[in-house]
Amino acid sequence: MEHIVIIGNGIAGVTAARHIRKLSDKKITLISAETDYFFSRTALMYVYMGHMRWEDIKPYEDYFWEKNRLELRRGYVKSIVPKETTLLFDDGSHMTYDQLIIASGSTTNTFGWEGLELEGVQGLVTKEDLEALEKNAPNKKVCPHAVIVGGGLIGVELAEMLRTRDIEVTMLVREKAFWTSVLPHVEGALLSQHIQSHGVKIIHETNLDRILGDSNGRVRGVVVKESQEEITCNLVGITTGVKPNISFLEGSGIETDKGILVNRKLETNVPNIYAIGDCAQQRDPIGNRAAVEAVWYTGRMMGEVVAQTICGKETAYNPGHWFNSAKFFDIEFQTYGWVQPSSKRKDYETQFHWKHQDHTKFITLAYDKNEGTFLGINTFGIRMKHEVFDRWLTEDRSIDYVMDHLKEANFDPEFYAHYEHEIRSAFKNKTVTA
């Protein structure tokens, strides 16, 4: 019986396993060094915050795996020997495969700062990171003050988590406003204000120089690069992004760059070896998308695609229009299409910004100033329908059409407030506030 081995039991690997099982009777083994069972990584924060228990973030009951004949192997793959179709584990054991899917995910991206090895310095990517956080910052008495290096989605999640335990938080953000590597400056500035309203201190245009430790090897502070100011703290959260977890592939002959290089069918340069999820890098990026996409839903899509190919129906990865969602404390964020930050904005792109007077609801619409075509939307504090914007992007609707039909995108008009009239009026008058 053909043996499919999947390295990694995150959303990409588990989706591939589930869909291969739906389509075939092949033997399937999932390998993970992190946990016995698949869990929802995006829900880790809610365990720390007390909203959920660990067992609540496992999407499937433990019996699911045996029932569906999905074998689980707990272990760390040290290396791959493609010529022998063999995986070598760090405990000296090995496993052979017929086809291999690498779904090894991401790891915290660090930049060689002095002091990274100190106790109390950590990222927020894995279950191990969550367990370390419980040890390093169980309460305000043990951890009065934390410094978070970097902004972005992981940074704001960590800040929210720590604030629920009344721990003081300082964020070092290198941009002039929050997450402006992704968002227009006006949105980043509003987010900076909102995050600070939750008791978080943000120091903008600031970089970490080094991390300081005490005589016991525990963090005691950080030094800011620009001013050489020392900030005393008991925890340093490294949230400067993630990178593909691929160090174990060295010497395997599998081609890598930032991630594992794959074609549209998610095939590597080695026959019968595929890569999906956060660790995969498209040789030719798709449209405006990044070559490496560390996003939950793209990992799920890749898992579905590779299952089709492995089961005899070659399928190309086609993720469609860009979308994503997140949360900044109590402000929900959605994005559909492309709303570029200032550094990436094309000559033809113009943007319309609207904000409510309470500063917790704001949007940006991007459109082609020459053709009038709708390009994308960012929404904060206003929930809208994915399917509607996805259809409008496919139909190349004009910005005027989108404005005239904006109420159709209201997520649930019965329960959600209406702002479409104010937004449309502001657009026609070219003002920016309600």
Side-chain angles (χ1 to χ4, degrees), residues 7-60:
I7 301 175
N9 71 343
I11 185 61
V14 166
T15 300
R18 287 179 53 245
H19 282 264
I20 293 169
R21 174 55 67 237
K22 288 179 182 179
L23 298 167
S24 75
D25 288 323
K26 300 176 189 293
K27 180 181 178 181
I28 302 170
T29 301
L30 283 153
I31 300 171
S32 173
E34 183 179 17
T35 57
D36 291 329
Y37 300 105
F38 167 54
F39 68 92
S40 178
R41 197 171 302 280
T42 55
L44 280 174
M45 65 182 295
Y46 299 111
V47 176
Y48 181 88
M49 293 165 68
H51 298 172
M52 303 178 80
R53 301 165 301 171
W54 173 253
E55 55 264 35
D56 296 328
I57 69 171
K58 292 193 295 185
Y60 306 106

Short mmCIF file of all heavy atoms in Angstrom, two decimals, residues 7-60:
data_model
loop_
_atom_site.label_atom_id
_atom_site.label_comp_id
_atom_site.label_asym_id
_atom_site.label_seq_id
_atom_site.Cartn_x
_atom_site.Cartn_y
_atom_site.Cartn_z
N ILE A 7 4.98 15.75 7.13
CA ILE A 7 5.74 16.35 8.23
C ILE A 7 5.02 17.62 8.66
O ILE A 7 4.98 18.61 7.93
CB ILE A 7 7.18 16.66 7.82
CG1 ILE A 7 7.90 15.40 7.36
CG2 ILE A 7 7.94 17.32 8.97
CD1 ILE A 7 9.30 15.66 6.83
N GLY A 8 4.42 17.59 9.84
CA GLY A 8 3.69 18.74 10.35
C GLY A 8 2.21 18.45 10.50
O GLY A 8 1.59 17.91 9.58
N ASN A 9 1.65 18.79 11.66
CA ASN A 9 0.22 18.55 11.87
C ASN A 9 -0.54 19.84 12.13
O ASN A 9 -1.47 19.90 12.92
CB ASN A 9 -0.01 17.54 13.01
CG ASN A 9 0.30 18.12 14.38
OD1 ASN A 9 0.98 19.14 14.50
ND2 ASN A 9 -0.20 17.48 15.42
N GLY A 10 -0.14 20.91 11.40
CA GLY A 10 -0.89 22.15 11.43
C GLY A 10 -2.03 22.11 10.43
O GLY A 10 -2.36 21.06 9.88
N ILE A 11 -2.61 23.26 10.14
CA ILE A 11 -3.78 23.30 9.27
C ILE A 11 -3.48 22.78 7.87
O ILE A 11 -4.30 22.08 7.27
CB ILE A 11 -4.38 24.73 9.21
CG1 ILE A 11 -5.68 24.75 8.40
CG2 ILE A 11 -3.38 25.72 8.65
CD1 ILE A 11 -6.78 23.90 8.95
N ALA A 12 -2.29 23.06 7.33
CA ALA A 12 -1.95 22.60 5.98
C ALA A 12 -1.82 21.08 5.95
O ALA A 12 -2.43 20.40 5.11
CB ALA A 12 -0.67 23.27 5.50
N GLY A 13 -1.02 20.53 6.85
CA GLY A 13 -0.79 19.09 6.85
C GLY A 13 -2.04 18.29 7.16
O GLY A 13 -2.32 17.28 6.50
N VAL A 14 -2.82 18.74 8.13
CA VAL A 14 -4.03 18.01 8.51
C VAL A 14 -5.07 18.08 7.40
O VAL A 14 -5.77 17.09 7.11
CB VAL A 14 -4.59 18.56 9.83
CG1 VAL A 14 -6.01 18.08 10.08
CG2 VAL A 14 -3.68 18.15 10.99
N THR A 15 -5.20 19.23 6.74
CA THR A 15 -6.14 19.34 5.62
C THR A 15 -5.75 18.39 4.50
O THR A 15 -6.60 17.71 3.92
CB THR A 15 -6.20 20.78 5.08
OG1 THR A 15 -6.63 21.66 6.14
CG2 THR A 15 -7.17 20.90 3.92
N ALA A 16 -4.45 18.31 4.19
CA ALA A 16 -3.98 17.37 3.17
C ALA A 16 -4.35 15.94 3.56
O ALA A 16 -4.87 15.17 2.74
CB ALA A 16 -2.48 17.50 2.98
N ALA A 17 -4.10 15.57 4.81
CA ALA A 17 -4.40 14.21 5.26
C ALA A 17 -5.89 13.90 5.15
O ALA A 17 -6.29 12.84 4.66
CB ALA A 17 -3.93 14.04 6.71
N ARG A 18 -6.73 14.82 5.59
CA ARG A 18 -8.18 14.61 5.56
C ARG A 18 -8.68 14.41 4.13
O ARG A 18 -9.50 13.53 3.85
CB ARG A 18 -8.90 15.79 6.19
CG ARG A 18 -8.78 15.86 7.71
CD ARG A 18 -9.50 17.09 8.27
NE ARG A 18 -10.87 17.14 7.79
CZ ARG A 18 -11.35 18.11 6.99
NH1 ARG A 18 -10.56 19.10 6.59
NH2 ARG A 18 -12.60 18.10 6.62
N HIS A 19 -8.17 15.23 3.21
CA HIS A 19 -8.66 15.15 1.83
C HIS A 19 -8.08 13.94 1.09
O HIS A 19 -8.76 13.36 0.22
CB HIS A 19 -8.37 16.45 1.09
CG HIS A 19 -9.33 17.54 1.45
ND1 HIS A 19 -10.44 17.82 0.69
CD2 HIS A 19 -9.38 18.39 2.50
CE1 HIS A 19 -11.12 18.80 1.26
NE2 HIS A 19 -10.49 19.16 2.36
N ILE A 20 -6.86 13.55 1.40
CA ILE A 20 -6.32 12.31 0.82
C ILE A 20 -7.16 11.12 1.29
O ILE A 20 -7.46 10.21 0.51
CB ILE A 20 -4.84 12.13 1.19
CG1 ILE A 20 -3.98 13.21 0.52
CG2 ILE A 20 -4.34 10.74 0.77
CD1 ILE A 20 -2.55 13.26 1.03
N ARG A 21 -7.53 11.13 2.57
CA ARG A 21 -8.36 10.04 3.07
C ARG A 21 -9.73 10.01 2.39
O ARG A 21 -10.25 8.94 2.07
CB ARG A 21 -8.51 10.16 4.60
CG ARG A 21 -9.47 9.17 5.23
CD ARG A 21 -9.12 7.70 4.90
NE ARG A 21 -7.86 7.30 5.51
CZ ARG A 21 -6.82 6.81 4.81
NH1 ARG A 21 -6.89 6.66 3.50
NH2 ARG A 21 -5.72 6.47 5.42
N LYS A 22 -10.31 11.17 2.13
CA LYS A 22 -11.61 11.21 1.44
C LYS A 22 -11.52 10.62 0.04
O LYS A 22 -12.48 10.03 -0.46
CB LYS A 22 -12.11 12.66 1.35
CG LYS A 22 -12.59 13.27 2.65
CD LYS A 22 -13.04 14.71 2.42
CE LYS A 22 -13.48 15.37 3.71
NZ LYS A 22 -13.91 16.78 3.49
N LEU A 23 -10.34 10.77 -0.58
CA LEU A 23 -10.17 10.38 -1.97
C LEU A 23 -9.52 9.02 -2.17
O LEU A 23 -9.47 8.51 -3.29
CB LEU A 23 -9.33 11.44 -2.70
CG LEU A 23 -9.93 12.86 -2.77
CD1 LEU A 23 -8.87 13.86 -3.23
CD2 LEU A 23 -11.12 12.88 -3.72
N SER A 24 -8.97 8.42 -1.09
CA SER A 24 -8.19 7.19 -1.29
C SER A 24 -8.13 6.35 -0.01
O SER A 24 -8.53 6.80 1.07
CB SER A 24 -6.77 7.54 -1.73
OG SER A 24 -6.02 8.02 -0.62
N ASP A 25 -7.55 5.16 -0.17
CA ASP A 25 -7.28 4.28 0.97
C ASP A 25 -5.78 4.20 1.27
O ASP A 25 -5.31 3.25 1.91
CB ASP A 25 -7.81 2.87 0.67
CG ASP A 25 -9.33 2.81 0.70
OD1 ASP A 25 -9.93 3.50 1.54
OD2 ASP A 25 -9.92 2.07 -0.12
N LYS A 26 -5.02 5.18 0.80
CA LYS A 26 -3.58 5.16 1.02
C LYS A 26 -3.25 5.19 2.51
O LYS A 26 -4.03 5.72 3.33
CB LYS A 26 -2.93 6.38 0.34
CG LYS A 26 -3.15 6.47 -1.16
CD LYS A 26 -2.56 7.77 -1.71
CE LYS A 26 -2.95 8.00 -3.17
NZ LYS A 26 -2.34 7.03 -4.08
N LYS A 27 -2.11 4.62 2.87
CA LYS A 27 -1.64 4.74 4.24
C LYS A 27 -1.13 6.16 4.47
O LYS A 27 -0.36 6.69 3.65
CB LYS A 27 -0.50 3.74 4.50
CG LYS A 27 0.05 3.79 5.92
CD LYS A 27 1.18 2.79 6.12
CE LYS A 27 1.74 2.90 7.53
NZ LYS A 27 2.86 1.95 7.76
N ILE A 28 -1.56 6.79 5.55
CA ILE A 28 -1.21 8.19 5.82
C ILE A 28 -0.62 8.29 7.23
O ILE A 28 -1.22 7.82 8.20
CB ILE A 28 -2.44 9.11 5.72
CG1 ILE A 28 -3.08 9.00 4.34
CG2 ILE A 28 -2.05 10.56 6.02
CD1 ILE A 28 -4.44 9.69 4.25
N THR A 29 0.55 8.90 7.33
CA THR A 29 1.18 9.15 8.63
C THR A 29 1.46 10.64 8.78
O THR A 29 2.08 11.25 7.91
CB THR A 29 2.50 8.37 8.79
OG1 THR A 29 2.24 6.97 8.65
CG2 THR A 29 3.11 8.63 10.15
N LEU A 30 1.00 11.21 9.89
CA LEU A 30 1.29 12.61 10.24
C LEU A 30 2.36 12.64 11.32
O LEU A 30 2.25 11.95 12.33
CB LEU A 30 0.03 13.30 10.76
CG LEU A 30 -1.01 13.73 9.73
CD1 LEU A 30 -2.40 13.76 10.36
CD2 LEU A 30 -0.66 15.11 9.18
N ILE A 31 3.41 13.45 11.11
CA ILE A 31 4.51 13.55 12.06
C ILE A 31 4.52 14.94 12.68
O ILE A 31 4.43 15.94 11.98
CB ILE A 31 5.86 13.29 11.37
CG1 ILE A 31 5.89 11.90 10.75
CG2 ILE A 31 7.01 13.46 12.35
CD1 ILE A 31 7.10 11.67 9.86
N SER A 32 4.65 15.01 14.00
CA SER A 32 4.75 16.29 14.68
C SER A 32 5.66 16.17 15.89
O SER A 32 5.56 15.22 16.66
CB SER A 32 3.38 16.78 15.14
OG SER A 32 3.51 17.95 15.95
N ALA A 33 6.55 17.13 16.05
CA ALA A 33 7.40 17.19 17.24
C ALA A 33 6.76 18.08 18.31
O ALA A 33 7.26 18.17 19.43
CB ALA A 33 8.78 17.73 16.88
N GLU A 34 5.66 18.73 17.96
CA GLU A 34 5.06 19.74 18.85
C GLU A 34 3.97 19.17 19.75
O GLU A 34 4.01 19.35 20.96
CB GLU A 34 4.49 20.87 17.99
CG GLU A 34 3.89 22.01 18.80
CD GLU A 34 3.35 23.12 17.92
OE1 GLU A 34 3.13 22.88 16.71
OE2 GLU A 34 3.12 24.22 18.44
N THR A 35 2.99 18.51 19.16
CA THR A 35 1.85 18.00 19.92
C THR A 35 1.41 16.65 19.34
O THR A 35 1.68 16.34 18.18
CB THR A 35 0.64 18.95 19.86
OG1 THR A 35 0.30 19.16 18.48
CG2 THR A 35 0.95 20.28 20.51
N ASP A 36 0.69 15.89 20.16
CA ASP A 36 0.13 14.63 19.67
C ASP A 36 -0.99 14.88 18.67
O ASP A 36 -1.12 14.18 17.67
CB ASP A 36 -0.42 13.81 20.84
CG ASP A 36 0.67 13.28 21.75
OD1 ASP A 36 1.77 13.02 21.24
OD2 ASP A 36 0.43 13.16 22.96
N TYR A 37 -1.81 15.90 18.95
CA TYR A 37 -2.99 16.15 18.13
C TYR A 37 -3.01 17.57 17.59
O TYR A 37 -2.48 18.51 18.20
CB TYR A 37 -4.26 15.91 18.97
CG TYR A 37 -4.40 14.51 19.50
CD1 TYR A 37 -4.16 14.24 20.84
CD2 TYR A 37 -4.74 13.45 18.66
CE1 TYR A 37 -4.28 12.95 21.35
CE2 TYR A 37 -4.85 12.16 19.15
CZ TYR A 37 -4.62 11.92 20.50
OH TYR A 37 -4.73 10.64 20.98
N PHE A 38 -3.64 17.71 16.45
CA PHE A 38 -3.83 19.00 15.79
C PHE A 38 -4.59 19.96 16.69
O PHE A 38 -5.56 19.59 17.35
CB PHE A 38 -4.61 18.75 14.49
CG PHE A 38 -5.16 19.98 13.82
CD1 PHE A 38 -4.33 21.05 13.49
CD2 PHE A 38 -6.50 20.05 13.49
CE1 PHE A 38 -4.84 22.16 12.85
CE2 PHE A 38 -7.03 21.16 12.84
CZ PHE A 38 -6.19 22.22 12.52
N PHE A 39 -4.15 21.22 16.72
CA PHE A 39 -4.87 22.25 17.46
C PHE A 39 -4.94 23.52 16.63
O PHE A 39 -4.19 23.70 15.67
CB PHE A 39 -4.20 22.54 18.81
CG PHE A 39 -2.85 23.21 18.70
CD1 PHE A 39 -2.72 24.58 18.71
CD2 PHE A 39 -1.70 22.45 18.56
CE1 PHE A 39 -1.48 25.19 18.60
CE2 PHE A 39 -0.44 23.05 18.45
CZ PHE A 39 -0.34 24.42 18.47
N SER A 40 -5.86 24.40 16.99
CA SER A 40 -6.04 25.65 16.27
C SER A 40 -5.02 26.67 16.78
O SER A 40 -5.17 27.22 17.87
CB SER A 40 -7.46 26.18 16.46
OG SER A 40 -7.62 27.42 15.81
N ARG A 41 -3.99 26.92 15.98
CA ARG A 41 -2.91 27.79 16.41
C ARG A 41 -3.39 29.22 16.67
O ARG A 41 -2.89 29.92 17.56
CB ARG A 41 -1.80 27.80 15.36
CG ARG A 41 -0.47 28.32 15.84
CD ARG A 41 0.62 28.08 14.80
NE ARG A 41 0.77 26.67 14.47
CZ ARG A 41 1.44 25.79 15.21
NH1 ARG A 41 2.02 26.19 16.33
NH2 ARG A 41 1.53 24.54 14.84
N THR A 42 -4.37 29.67 15.91
CA THR A 42 -4.88 31.03 16.07
C THR A 42 -5.62 31.22 17.39
O THR A 42 -5.91 32.35 17.78
CB THR A 42 -5.80 31.41 14.91
OG1 THR A 42 -6.85 30.43 14.80
CG2 THR A 42 -5.04 31.46 13.59
N ALA A 43 -5.93 30.13 18.08
CA ALA A 43 -6.66 30.22 19.35
C ALA A 43 -5.75 30.12 20.57
O ALA A 43 -6.24 30.16 21.71
CB ALA A 43 -7.72 29.12 19.42
N LEU A 44 -4.44 30.03 20.38
CA LEU A 44 -3.53 29.92 21.52
C LEU A 44 -3.72 31.07 22.51
O LEU A 44 -3.69 30.87 23.73
CB LEU A 44 -2.08 29.92 21.03
CG LEU A 44 -1.51 28.60 20.50
CD1 LEU A 44 -0.12 28.83 19.93
CD2 LEU A 44 -1.48 27.53 21.58
N MET A 45 -3.96 32.27 21.99
CA MET A 45 -4.08 33.43 22.87
C MET A 45 -5.24 33.29 23.84
O MET A 45 -5.19 33.76 24.97
CB MET A 45 -4.21 34.72 22.05
CG MET A 45 -5.46 34.83 21.22
SD MET A 45 -5.50 36.36 20.21
CE MET A 45 -5.59 37.64 21.48
N TYR A 46 -6.30 32.62 23.40
CA TYR A 46 -7.50 32.54 24.23
C TYR A 46 -7.32 31.56 25.38
O TYR A 46 -8.04 31.64 26.39
CB TYR A 46 -8.70 32.18 23.37
CG TYR A 46 -8.95 33.23 22.30
CD1 TYR A 46 -8.74 32.95 20.95
CD2 TYR A 46 -9.34 34.51 22.66
CE1 TYR A 46 -8.95 33.91 19.99
CE2 TYR A 46 -9.54 35.49 21.70
CZ TYR A 46 -9.34 35.19 20.36
OH TYR A 46 -9.53 36.16 19.42
N VAL A 47 -6.38 30.63 25.27
CA VAL A 47 -6.07 29.74 26.38
C VAL A 47 -5.40 30.54 27.49
O VAL A 47 -5.77 30.46 28.67
CB VAL A 47 -5.18 28.57 25.92
CG1 VAL A 47 -4.77 27.70 27.11
CG2 VAL A 47 -5.89 27.73 24.87
N TYR A 48 -4.43 31.36 27.13
CA TYR A 48 -3.73 32.19 28.11
C TYR A 48 -4.68 33.18 28.76
O TYR A 48 -4.60 33.46 29.96
CB TYR A 48 -2.58 32.93 27.42
CG TYR A 48 -1.77 33.82 28.33
CD1 TYR A 48 -0.67 33.31 29.04
CD2 TYR A 48 -2.08 35.17 28.48
CE1 TYR A 48 0.09 34.14 29.86
CE2 TYR A 48 -1.33 36.00 29.30
CZ TYR A 48 -0.24 35.48 30.00
OH TYR A 48 0.49 36.29 30.82
N MET A 49 -5.61 33.71 27.97
CA MET A 49 -6.55 34.72 28.47
C MET A 49 -7.68 34.12 29.30
O MET A 49 -8.49 34.85 29.87
CB MET A 49 -7.11 35.52 27.30
CG MET A 49 -6.07 36.38 26.61
SD MET A 49 -6.58 36.99 24.97
CE MET A 49 -7.90 38.13 25.43
N GLY A 50 -7.76 32.78 29.33
CA GLY A 50 -8.78 32.13 30.13
C GLY A 50 -10.12 31.98 29.46
O GLY A 50 -11.10 31.55 30.09
N HIS A 51 -10.20 32.29 28.18
CA HIS A 51 -11.46 32.18 27.45
C HIS A 51 -11.73 30.74 27.01
O HIS A 51 -12.89 30.37 26.77
CB HIS A 51 -11.45 33.09 26.22
CG HIS A 51 -11.31 34.54 26.55
ND1 HIS A 51 -11.11 35.51 25.59
CD2 HIS A 51 -11.33 35.20 27.74
CE1 HIS A 51 -11.01 36.69 26.18
NE2 HIS A 51 -11.13 36.52 27.47
N MET A 52 -10.67 29.96 26.84
CA MET A 52 -10.80 28.58 26.38
C MET A 52 -9.81 27.70 27.14
O MET A 52 -8.80 28.20 27.66
CB MET A 52 -10.53 28.49 24.87
CG MET A 52 -11.41 29.37 24.01
SD MET A 52 -11.01 29.28 22.23
CE MET A 52 -11.83 27.75 21.81
N ARG A 53 -10.13 26.42 27.22
CA ARG A 53 -9.19 25.45 27.76
C ARG A 53 -8.41 24.83 26.60
O ARG A 53 -8.80 24.95 25.45
CB ARG A 53 -9.94 24.35 28.51
CG ARG A 53 -10.79 24.85 29.68
CD ARG A 53 -11.76 23.77 30.12
NE ARG A 53 -12.64 23.39 29.01
CZ ARG A 53 -13.48 22.36 29.04
NH1 ARG A 53 -13.55 21.59 30.12
NH2 ARG A 53 -14.24 22.08 28.00
N TRP A 54 -7.30 24.14 26.93
CA TRP A 54 -6.49 23.53 25.88
C TRP A 54 -7.32 22.58 25.03
O TRP A 54 -7.25 22.58 23.81
CB TRP A 54 -5.28 22.81 26.47
CG TRP A 54 -4.53 22.03 25.44
CD1 TRP A 54 -4.50 20.68 25.28
CD2 TRP A 54 -3.75 22.57 24.37
NE1 TRP A 54 -3.73 20.34 24.19
CE2 TRP A 54 -3.25 21.49 23.62
CE3 TRP A 54 -3.40 23.87 23.99
CZ2 TRP A 54 -2.44 21.66 22.51
CZ3 TRP A 54 -2.59 24.04 22.89
CH2 TRP A 54 -2.12 22.94 22.15
N GLU A 55 -8.15 21.76 25.68
CA GLU A 55 -8.95 20.79 24.93
C GLU A 55 -9.97 21.46 24.02
O GLU A 55 -10.44 20.85 23.05
CB GLU A 55 -9.65 19.81 25.88
CG GLU A 55 -10.50 20.44 26.95
CD GLU A 55 -9.76 20.59 28.27
OE1 GLU A 55 -8.54 20.85 28.23
OE2 GLU A 55 -10.41 20.44 29.32
N ASP A 56 -10.31 22.72 24.31
CA ASP A 56 -11.29 23.42 23.48
C ASP A 56 -10.73 23.85 22.13
O ASP A 56 -11.51 24.16 21.22
CB ASP A 56 -11.81 24.67 24.21
CG ASP A 56 -12.56 24.33 25.49
OD1 ASP A 56 -13.20 23.26 25.53
OD2 ASP A 56 -12.49 25.13 26.44
N ILE A 57 -9.41 23.91 22.00
CA ILE A 57 -8.84 24.39 20.74
C ILE A 57 -8.36 23.23 19.85
O ILE A 57 -7.67 23.45 18.86
CB ILE A 57 -7.71 25.42 20.96
CG1 ILE A 57 -6.46 24.78 21.58
CG2 ILE A 57 -8.20 26.57 21.82
CD1 ILE A 57 -5.26 25.73 21.61
N LYS A 58 -8.75 22.01 20.21
CA LYS A 58 -8.52 20.86 19.33
C LYS A 58 -9.80 20.64 18.50
O LYS A 58 -10.83 20.26 19.06
CB LYS A 58 -8.18 19.61 20.14
CG LYS A 58 -6.83 19.69 20.84
CD LYS A 58 -6.38 18.34 21.38
CE LYS A 58 -7.29 17.82 22.46
NZ LYS A 58 -6.78 16.56 23.06
N PRO A 59 -9.78 20.91 17.20
CA PRO A 59 -11.00 20.82 16.39
C PRO A 59 -11.62 19.43 16.31
O PRO A 59 -12.80 19.31 16.04
CB PRO A 59 -10.52 21.28 15.00
CG PRO A 59 -9.31 22.11 15.26
CD PRO A 59 -8.65 21.46 16.43
N TYR A 60 -10.82 18.39 16.54
CA TYR A 60 -11.33 17.03 16.43
C TYR A 60 -11.12 16.27 17.73
O TYR A 60 -10.12 16.48 18.43
CB TYR A 60 -10.63 16.27 15.28
CG TYR A 60 -10.70 16.98 13.96
CD1 TYR A 60 -9.58 17.62 13.44
CD2 TYR A 60 -11.89 17.04 13.25
CE1 TYR A 60 -9.64 18.29 12.23
CE2 TYR A 60 -11.96 17.70 12.03
CZ TYR A 60 -10.84 18.33 11.53
OH TYR A 60 -10.90 19.00 10.34
#
